[in-house]
Amino acid sequence: MAKKYTSKINKIRTFALSLVFVGFIIMYIGIFFREHVWVMTIFMLLGLLSIIGSTVVYFWIGMLSTRAVQVVCPSCGKVTKMLGRVDMCMYCREPLTLDKELEGKEFDEKYNRKTRKRES
């Protein structure tokens, strides 16, 4: 099965959106424990924490997005934001890089990982 790549900003936004829905589901489960106030309160607080976590992630990615490099996609011609050495176009999923060494190579997210070099 082939990997489906998306831009890093969209991945993080999708994660934050899923935190909102998970929080609502947790709170909804708490409704089933109306007879046990403590259990219901715990579920409501866990759901609230999930939604607050989503807010923090949205704020963080918003701040990160303001510092991202804006490039024009050579395929679709739209302006997209890049994080790291390699990223995908937000619109057409074209692999993008600003690193001359990586041009023409197969797209791999591993290029963004920092590797430690051994000192001898």
Side-chain angles (χ1 to χ4, degrees), residues 21-98:
F21 288 116
V22 166
F24 284 139
I25 290 169
I26 292 171
M27 292 173 129
Y28 188 72
I29 291 171
I31 291 174
F32 293 115
F33 297 101
R34 280 181 272 185
E35 303 85 34
H36 308 287
V37 177
W38 288 106
V39 176
M40 182 183 79
T41 304
I42 289 172
F43 275 101
M44 292 296 173
L45 288 175
L46 287 175
L48 181 65
L49 286 175
S50 177
I51 293 171
I52 290 172
S54 168
T55 304
V56 169
V57 172
Y58 269 122
F59 179 77
W60 172 68
I61 194 60
M63 291 292 105
L64 195 61
S65 179
T66 60
R67 294 184 300 167
V69 178
Q70 292 186 355
V71 297
V72 177
C73 176
S75 180
C76 66
K78 295 181 180 179
V79 176
T80 187
K81 294 181 179 181
M82 262 188 67
L83 292 176
R85 293 174 69 194
V86 294
D87 204 354
M88 300 296 275
C89 175
M90 290 182 182
Y91 306 102
C92 67
R93 295 189 178 157
E94 175 77 20
L96 302 172
T97 185
L98 295 176

Side-chain angles (χ1 to χ4, degrees), residues 13-23 50 58:
R13 287 179 182 158
T14 302
F15 172 71
L17 183 63
S18 66
L19 277 179
V20 171
F21 288 116
V22 166
S50 177
Y58 269 122

